[in-house]
Amino acid sequence: MQDELDIQPSSNAASWLTIAVLALCMVVIEFITPVPIALRGSIPLVIAFTTLSAVAYYYRTVRRCEEFAEMCVSLSQVLLYSAIGIILSYLVARANNPLWDSTLQRWDVALGFDWMAAMRLVDKSPLAVGIINVAYHSLIPQVIVVVCALGFQRRIFELRAVMLAAMLCGSVCIVISAFMPAVAYGVHLGIRPGDFQNVFPSAGFIKMPDFETLRSGTIHELDIVKMQGLITFPSYHSGLSVVTFWGFWAARQNWLRILGMTLAALTVVSTPIIGGHYLVDVIAGGVIAVACIAIARRAICLNPSFSLLKSSPSRHSHAAFGR
């Protein structure tokens, strides 16, 4: 017997609106303070997005299979939002506001968190380092698994809520990062390879070349293929992990719930270690994610009256909730 969430009407209108607003912000910033964006890296993205949209249209109008169509729509949203979001995070980083690392470190100390002690503890176990390293880099595959699991289980309401919550969380993190930029623990404390035997907070260092050229205004071109995640506070890695944690919980199979939620929880744990994030980064990202999940569960019930969204692949199909 299907529960209330399975039959509750919903649509992708709020998700597409979120993407449209972000795209508009990107265009406005580019118009005010332009920086060249390489189009060559967008070709695979355009091909993938077009293919997913075409497949979604086919399975929604020709060979009706609403759950598979919805999976394709969600994956196309992941691609489009990821591209727009990472470009926007680069553009706002050029604001060159004062770094907040010293303040974030003080907040961690006030919470009783000693990052160096945590690193030394984890460093004692190569197995623990290997597990959290895999967990940290598994976030995007987790999102894909959640999309497929919820889609095949016909849990369209939860799938749409997960997608919108992920986008809202990322959007909030991007905005806050413009006013509270930081470089993460490893860079702030001057950690070097070899300071620990088994672990190294590599993620915090990978972004630094782009981060520094953005803040100094010397970056020559934005290339989506080479872009790295720039956001330290709040941690989107933590926020997105909380969203996927909820997505796995919404799945029906207990084995998938247990494995998925465990991996998502380990990803949150790995964020200060492999990502070099401050504990307050992780907490802030998680709090934002919980709020965005609550908002998304209501916002996906938006039923636009204008025909453009109603005729788009994101429109609500009653057939998906009548099975």
Side-chain angles (χ1 to χ4, degrees), residues 37-70:
I37 299 177
L39 296 179
R40 59 183 178 275
S42 64
I43 295 177
L45 171 68
V46 171
I47 294 175
F49 178 81
T50 303
T51 301
L52 287 168
S53 299
V55 173
Y57 180 81
Y58 175 81
Y59 279 100
R60 188 158 273 162
T61 60
V62 180
R63 185 178 179 180
R64 297 186 64 83
C65 182
E66 181 68 18
E67 57 269 22
F68 190 75
E70 191 62 33

Side-chain angles (χ1 to χ4, degrees), residues 254-276:
N254 286 331
W255 67 268
L256 181 60
R257 282 179 173 173
I258 295 172
L259 290 177
M261 292 170 67
T262 300
L263 184 57
L266 286 173
T267 306
V268 174
V269 173
S270 71
T271 303
I273 306 301
I274 305 300

Side-chain angles (χ1 to χ4, degrees), residues 231-254:
I231 301 173
T232 296
F233 181 88
S235 170
Y236 185 46
H237 215 87
S238 169
L240 186 55
S241 297
V242 171
V243 173
T244 58
F245 183 94
W246 179 74
F248 282 119
W249 179 84
R252 282 194 177 99
Q253 287 93 347
N254 286 331

Side-chain angles (χ1 to χ4, degrees), residues 291-312:
C292 289
I293 290 172
I295 294 171
R297 286 169 59 85
R298 290 160 176 77
I300 60 172
C301 296
L302 173 67
N303 186 22
S305 59
F306 42 97
S307 58
L308 179 59
L309 281 179
K310 278 191 171 182
S311 62
S312 73

Side-chain angles (χ1 to χ4, degrees), residues 57-179:
Y57 180 81
Y58 175 81
Y59 279 100
R60 188 158 273 162
T61 60
V62 180
R63 185 178 179 180
R64 297 186 64 83
C65 182
E66 181 68 18
E67 57 269 22
F68 190 75
E70 191 62 33
M71 286 164 50
C72 292
V73 170
S74 296
L75 291 174
S76 69
Q77 289 175 341
V78 170
L79 288 174
L80 191 57
Y81 175 81
S82 297
I84 295 174
I86 196 168
I87 292 174
L88 191 57
S89 70
Y90 267 58
L91 295 177
V92 301
R94 294 184 299 164
N96 196 26
N97 287 315
L99 295 176
W100 279 65
D101 291 88
S102 297
T103 301
L104 298 177
Q105 185 180 14
R106 286 198 302 271
W107 289 351
D108 271 9
V109 172
L111 292 174
F113 179 69
D114 186 335
W115 183 77
M116 290 295 293
M119 292 290 287
R120 286 192 290 265
L121 178 63
V122 174
D123 191 52
K124 293 179 180 178
S125 172
L127 177 60
V129 172
I131 291 174
I132 64 173
N133 188 61
V134 171
Y136 184 84
H137 293 97
S138 70
L139 186 52
I140 298 304
Q142 287 180 51
V143 174
I144 296 174
V145 171
V146 165
V147 169
C148 294
L150 295 178
F152 281 123
Q153 293 174 16
R154 299 178 180 177
R155 300 184 72 82
I156 307 300
F157 183 94
E158 289 89 343
L159 175 54
R160 288 171 171 166
V162 165
M163 289 296 99
L164 179 57
M167 289 187 282
L168 291 176
C169 181
S171 302
V172 173
C173 290
I174 290 171
V175 172
I176 295 177
S177 71
F179 300 97

Side-chain angles (χ1 to χ4, degrees), residues 34-36 90 94 209-223 227:
V35 60
Y90 267 58
R94 294 184 299 164
D210 286 351
F211 190 67
E212 291 173 345
T213 55
L214 284 166
R215 288 174 57 82
S216 64
T218 59
I219 194 164
H220 300 296
E221 182 183 66
L222 299 183
D223 188 344
M227 287 182 175

Side-chain angles (χ1 to χ4, degrees), residues 5-28:
L5 292 181
D6 285 320
I7 61 175
Q8 187 171 348
S10 63
S11 80
N12 283 310
S15 294
W16 290 119
L17 180 60
T18 300
I19 292 175
V21 170
L22 284 183
L24 179 61
C25 291
M26 181 182 69
V27 171
V28 170

